[in-house]
Amino acid sequence: MPDRASVVLDPRFTVAPVDRRVFGSFVEHMGRSVYTGIYEPDHATADEAGFRGDVKELVRELGPTVLRYPGGNFVSSYRWEDGVGPVDERPVRLDLAWRSLESNAVGINEFCAWARELEVEPMMAVNLGTRGVQEAVDLLEYSNHPGGTALSDLRVSHGVKDPHGIRLWCLGNEQDGPWQIGQKTAEEYGRLAAETGKAMRLVDPEIELVAVGSSNSQMPTFASWEATVLEHTYAQVDYISLHAYYEQVEDDLGTFLATAVDMDRFIDAVVATADHVGAKLRDRKKLKLSFDEWNVWYQKRFVGQANLDWQENRHLIEDSYDVADAVVVGSYLISLLNHADRVTVACQAQLVNVIAPILTEPGGRAWRQTIFHPFAQAARSARGTVLRTTTTSPTYPTESYGQVPLLHATATHDEETGEVVVLAVNRGQEDVLELEVDVRAFGGTAGMVVVEHSVLADDDIRARNTADDPDRVTPRRGSGARVEDGRARLALPPVSWNVLRLRPAPA
Ligand code: AHR
């Protein structure tokens, strides 16, 4: 007997509009993310600026809306001035975060031009590890001020006449982490972030600022870090950041498939903490959340920074992802969308080569990892408003989270086209999950019809894509999805990611 689950949808019951910024990604100067990743002047497909054309095409297809840059841990000892001006005069520096040699061939101007060409919004991080208010303000003036000042004219002299107009700014990165260059206590960081934010807003009042939250929810100072930082910064910032990476531990696939439960709890805890501070400060503003690093990352396989020797463009945490990883990534996207009322920026970490949906060979091929597909499909199809999904589902026992529903789902409604999209994961490992989606409240008298049911699943959940077999794992068309009496019925294979698109039937 197949398991059965159901979802009831109604356009009157909503979470919030889909903020397209939740489909962000991340480019850090780390490993081969930039060099031989997005940028490789000698590559056969390189454009005049040295960026790989094959990678640009894949990024376009992936569809990120925001790109966080230049780190990550890298930013905490970065001097932005090293990356501007004539390339042959730029210094080679030791990157202390990843024990790499940084050529600075790519800097803010090259990155922003590349991102704008791809119609992606840059999200810039400032160094609050080894630097402070002045350097952040200088970078903002260089980037966003139109002209007529020393730093804006310097930009113009570097060939960039128009200001970059960068709206989103991260006030540092993971400043609570012992691994961070310039780690700080919550008090130290909170004061510095507040003063930096205040000064940056004087340069450009249009910017949006992200205060650094805990590096992850397992940090010993988690929640008290957020509370202290926000007591200092609440009036200055728009967002608090969250970072989370998950991996399968030993052979416990059931827990791994349920890790979005932890993501949900993490988001809820940060919302509660932010709202507590807001209440204490009598500030009625609702802080937003920027989940600006999330992904599957097999951290247990990483040797650690301390064990690396100084190198340029080394292969660093180039995790290869399988079908189960892709399903779990789909689940994280579902969690983010279900929190659309508070999480309005999110960045999968990272974009190319470093724990990334896109892999490249230096001088060679580029291809889509399994995790490319759920991101691309969600970014393409989830539009309009996130609906409140009322679900019923059988549960299964997990080691870490107790009983967890087999079904994990979200739904969006595009008021313009009338399209309803359901993104759904079956966490069950054995059986098909028969799903019924009640859409009687949509489509007028003619009701709804199925436009598409796409499935990512495989008999071998360890299957992955390689340079030689780049399409071993791709979404395929599901069979049998139909709408009857205002209810869509479809079958979700075990360990699967599914996209169901419904439209009003022609009258
Ligand atoms: O994304 C890789 C690293 O993970 C980032 O540099 C850092 O912010 C996080 O710890």
Side-chain angles (χ1 to χ4, degrees):
M1 271 285 285
D3 292 315
R4 290 183 192 285
S6 68
V7 178
V8 182
L9 301 175
D10 188 313
R12 291 167 295 183
F13 300 116
T14 62
V15 179
V18 176
D19 194 317
R20 302 284 305 154
R21 281 172 163 177
V22 293
F23 301 114
S25 190
F26 178 29
V27 174
E28 176 166 6
H29 282 250
M30 172 181 180
R32 298 192 310 111
S33 171
V34 174
Y35 306 111
T36 73
I38 62 171
Y39 176 84
E40 192 173 1
D42 296 337
H43 194 269
T45 69
D47 63 17
E48 279 184 357
F51 288 93
R52 283 179 64 151
D54 56 348
V55 173
K56 278 199 285 192
E57 255 174 57
L58 288 174
V59 174
R60 275 200 190 93
E61 185 186 325
L62 184 71
T65 51
V66 166
L67 284 171
R68 187 164 170 256
Y69 177 84
N73 297 342
F74 171 81
V75 81
S76 291
S77 63
Y78 180 53
R79 287 173 260 213
W80 66 267
E81 306 88 327
D82 290 345
V84 298
V87 174
D88 49 8
E89 291 171 22
R90 296 184 191 176
V92 175
R93 297 273 188 200
L94 294 181
D95 157 28
L96 304 182
W98 302 110
R99 292 180 66 82
S100 302
L101 299 182
E102 172 57 50
S103 71
N104 284 302
V106 172
I108 179 172
N109 293 328
E110 291 82 13
F111 177 77
C112 284
W114 175 79
R116 295 285 186 209
E117 183 192 337
L118 294 170
E119 297 179 0
V120 184
E121 177 183 3
M123 176 185 195
M124 200 61 52
V126 300
N127 173 358
L128 290 190
T130 59
R131 304 187 110 188
V133 181
Q134 188 61 59
E135 293 89 346
V137 161
D138 287 351
L139 172 58
L140 180 58
E141 181 185 329
Y142 179 91
S143 306
N144 281 13
H145 198 70
T149 66
L151 287 166
S152 54
D153 286 348
L154 181 66
R155 184 197 67 240
V156 176
S157 78
H158 292 155
V160 184
K161 185 169 164 293
D162 294 328
H164 291 304
I166 302 165
R167 291 286 298 267
L168 275 171
W169 292 83
C170 304
L171 295 165
N173 176 71
E174 295 189 351
Q175 240 64 57
D176 60 331
W179 58 86
Q180 203 67 214
I181 313 294
Q183 183 196 6
K184 294 182 172 46
T185 65
E187 283 287 345
E188 289 166 346
Y189 171 71
R191 287 284 307 125
L192 178 60
E195 289 305 313
T196 307
K198 184 173 83 184
M200 288 176 77
R201 283 197 195 283
L202 292 173
V203 177
D204 183 349
E206 300 296 310
I207 57 174
E208 298 169 54
L209 292 170
V210 185
V212 162
S214 297
S215 297
N216 58 68
S217 61
Q218 307 309 310
M219 297 298 286
T221 51
F222 171 57
S224 69
W225 169 275
E226 279 78 358
T228 305
V229 166
L230 288 177
E231 280 181 18
H232 288 293
T233 59
Y234 205 89
Q236 289 302 343
V237 302
D238 305 282
Y239 304 85
I240 181 91
S241 75
L242 294 83
H243 290 181
Y245 294 102
Y246 300 97
E247 63 191 303
Q248 184 176 328
V249 178
E250 291 164 1
D251 57 358
D252 189 357
L253 177 60
T255 292
F256 180 52
L257 289 167
T259 41
V261 171
D262 184 77
M263 196 179 211
D264 287 337
R265 290 179 189 167
F266 185 18
I267 293 170
D268 293 343
V270 175
V271 167
T273 308
D275 287 352
H276 164 78
V277 176
K280 208 169 149 189
L281 298 176
R282 314 284 191 273
D283 192 325
R284 294 173 69 180
K285 169 175 91 177
K286 284 275 183 242
L287 209 73
K288 292 176 280 186
L289 272 52
S290 171
F291 213 126
D292 46 44
E293 285 187 35
W294 65 265
N295 207 351
V296 174
W297 175 4
Y298 286 89
Q299 281 181 289
K300 293 207 168 54
R301 296 177 198 157
F302 178 44
V303 292
Q305 288 98 311
N307 300 315
L308 304 171
D309 54 353
W310 296 108
Q311 262 184 46
E312 218 173 341
N313 316 337
R314 67 154 56 78
H315 292 256
L316 198 58
I317 59 169
E318 297 189 7
D319 286 6
S320 155
Y321 293 110
D322 62 23
V323 174
D325 297 322
V327 171
V328 169
V329 159
S331 222
Y332 301 151
L333 290 159
I334 290 169
S335 282
L336 293 169
L337 285 165
N338 280 340
H339 287 94
D341 53 339
R342 298 303 287 267
V343 181
T344 57
V345 175
C347 304
Q348 187 178 32
Q350 300 188 6
L351 181 68
V352 182
N353 288 331
V354 175
I355 44 172
I358 299 169
L359 281 182
T360 69
E361 293 171 328
R365 298 166 286 185
W367 65 101
R368 304 167 191 81
Q369 295 232 59
T370 58
I371 63 168
F372 182 102
H373 297 292
F375 188 104
Q377 289 187 307
R380 203 163 44 233
S381 59
R383 291 174 186 274
T385 303
V386 181
L387 299 170
R388 219 158 260 299
T389 45
T390 311
T391 59
T392 63
S393 169
T395 60
Y396 72 106
T398 64
E399 200 54 46
S400 305
Y401 313 116
Q403 289 290 328
V404 170
L406 292 173
L407 173 71
H408 191 206
T410 190
T412 57
H413 177 218
D414 185 336
E415 296 81 357
E416 275 174 30
T417 61
E419 188 160 302
V420 171
V421 170
V422 179
L423 307 177
V425 158
N426 176 8
R427 293 172 167 137
Q429 296 175 46
E430 306 297 334
D431 298 317
V432 166
L433 188 60
E434 298 285 359
L435 178 62
E436 179 186 284
V437 185
D438 185 333
V439 283
R440 282 176 293 172
F442 294 85
T445 44
M448 304 289 275
V449 288
V450 173
V451 181
E452 178 193 12
H453 172 208
S454 151
V455 186
L456 191 145
D458 202 287
D459 290 342
D460 175 9
I461 60 160
R462 297 303 169 202
R464 38 192 98 217
N465 296 336
T466 61
D468 290 333
D469 196 358
D471 296 321
R472 165 70 183 81
V473 180
T474 54
R476 59 182 165 72
R477 191 134 38 115
S479 63
R482 65 201 184 281
V483 183
E484 279 168 5
D485 303 329
R487 294 172 183 89
R489 293 196 171 81
L490 64 159
L492 315 183
V495 190
S496 64
W497 155 260
N498 301 264
V499 180
L500 174 70
R501 288 174 50 216
L502 304 167
R503 275 203 178 216

